[in-house]
Amino acid sequence: MRIIIFGPQGAGKGTQAGKLVEETGAAHIATGDLVREEIKKGSELGEKIQEYNDKGELVPDEIIIEMTKPHLDKHDGWILDGFPRNQAQAKALDEALEEIDEKVDRVIALEASDEDLVKRLSGRRQSEATGKTYHIEHDPPPEDSDEDAGPFVQRDDDTEEAIRKRLETYHEETEPLKDYYEEQGILVTVDASQGIDEVTKEVMKAVGEDK
Ligand code: ADP
Ligand code: ADP
């Protein structure tokens, strides 16, 4: 299946994508991870996109589309996380999929209030060893280093100021895409203010993996 996991910063896209990967064996394509990997490499492209990332601004469409496209064709099934974020990207995705005779099967939109999201993101920690995301209260990092050695660090762009800016951009440019996918009849919305396991149950139902 080709699934878009959609929603604002902190809604739990990465967390639920991880569960879907475990359940379906699909690949997790997270454009934010692609951006951070490129920055870490210190490439010319990485230097160019770092400014946007650090300021909480979107990387220009043509750059992010070129970075994402090769991954769509690499796997039979995927969970796309963090893309598309505006009309131009949604169109580019449709065109890229048409070229390989594929389409998006389902868009799962996670929904929660901005206040909940800001609170949630301040407790987010990411493992430098595995890239996996945890929460200091709701999903604590393992103490056993065989499972994930860490260290578990806060993202530079998870400051309250940068989070609010990213949420503003989400509401203006990204959220309207829900109508686009609703019209295609492939949108499922999920209340993401529930606990992680409750959200997972609804997500699995949305992709027919709730047996
Ligand atoms: P968040 O969703 O919290 O903003 P991500 O990890 O998804 O974080 O993305 C980190 C950064 O990578 C974004 O702030 C943005 O600069 C860039 N980025 C990721 N995906 C896209 C995209 N589809 N379009 C433009 N920029 C993107
Ligand atoms: P996104 O990828 O949408 O930005 P993440 O999956 O990184 O969101 O989740 C943001 C933070 O909130 C992480 O620290 C994660 O562990 C935590 N989290 C995710 N889902 C829930 C939930 N349903 N309830 C409480 N905390 C959650």
Side-chain angles (χ1 to χ4, degrees):
M1 267 189 119
R2 291 173 177 79
I3 298 162
I4 297 175
I5 187 102
F6 190 89
Q9 286 71 15
K13 299 183 296 295
T15 303
Q16 297 302 332
K19 311 264 183 194
L20 281 165
V21 166
E22 277 172 29
E23 198 62 38
T24 66
H28 181 201
I29 307 173
T31 50
D33 288 346
L34 298 180
V35 164
R36 283 183 289 278
E37 273 160 29
E38 199 62 47
I39 292 172
K40 215 163 150 190
K41 267 196 249 163
S43 66
E44 210 174 302
L45 175 63
E47 280 177 26
K48 202 160 149 191
I49 59 181
Q50 179 156 23
E51 275 177 51
Y52 298 98
N53 176 79
D54 291 354
K55 282 195 262 173
E57 289 173 10
L58 293 184
V59 169
D61 290 338
E62 60 278 16
I63 297 180
I64 200 80
I65 290 165
E66 282 314 304
M67 286 175 72
T68 309
K69 251 174 136 175
H71 295 270
L72 302 173
D73 203 7
K74 246 191 232 169
H75 317 274
D76 280 340
W78 39 247
I79 298 130
L80 191 52
D81 167 1
F83 189 96
R85 294 204 197 196
N86 57 32
Q87 281 290 346
Q89 293 182 12
K91 290 250 157 64
L93 175 62
D94 285 350
E95 282 163 19
L97 290 179
E98 213 168 291
E99 271 172 35
I100 55 172
D101 212 15
E102 293 298 345
K103 61 178 175 47
V104 176
D105 296 300
R106 192 83 76 245
V107 178
I108 303 172
L110 304 178
E111 300 179 332
S113 74
D114 282 10
E115 289 321 303
D116 277 358
L117 297 169
V118 171
K119 245 188 267 162
R120 214 181 253 185
L121 284 173
S122 62
R124 172 158 71 183
R125 298 291 182 274
Q126 194 164 26
S127 165
E128 279 189 355
T130 63
K132 198 170 178 281
T133 297
Y134 300 91
H135 190 280
I136 47 175
E137 275 173 51
H138 309 298
D139 188 10
E143 281 170 22
D144 179 357
S145 62
D146 284 345
E147 205 182 311
D148 190 339
F152 307 100
V153 298
Q154 198 158 14
R155 272 170 49 178
D156 292 339
D157 59 345
D158 271 353
T159 61
E160 178 160 348
E161 195 190 347
I163 292 166
R164 290 207 183 268
K165 186 164 177 186
R166 273 151 47 222
L167 284 171
E168 209 175 291
T169 309
Y170 171 79
H171 291 305
E172 277 172 21
E173 296 187 39
T174 310
E175 201 169 20
L177 290 179
K178 279 200 260 181
D179 295 338
Y180 181 71
Y181 291 117
E182 170 96 78
E183 279 162 22
Q184 295 177 24
I186 55 173
L187 183 79
V188 179
T189 57
V190 172
D191 174 7
S193 67
Q194 309 175 88
I196 295 178
D197 293 345
E198 282 75 28
V199 177
T200 301
K201 261 188 215 147
E202 290 196 26
V203 166
M204 293 306 162
K205 217 196 252 175
V207 298
E209 289 282 351
D210 56 332
K211 287 154 286 271

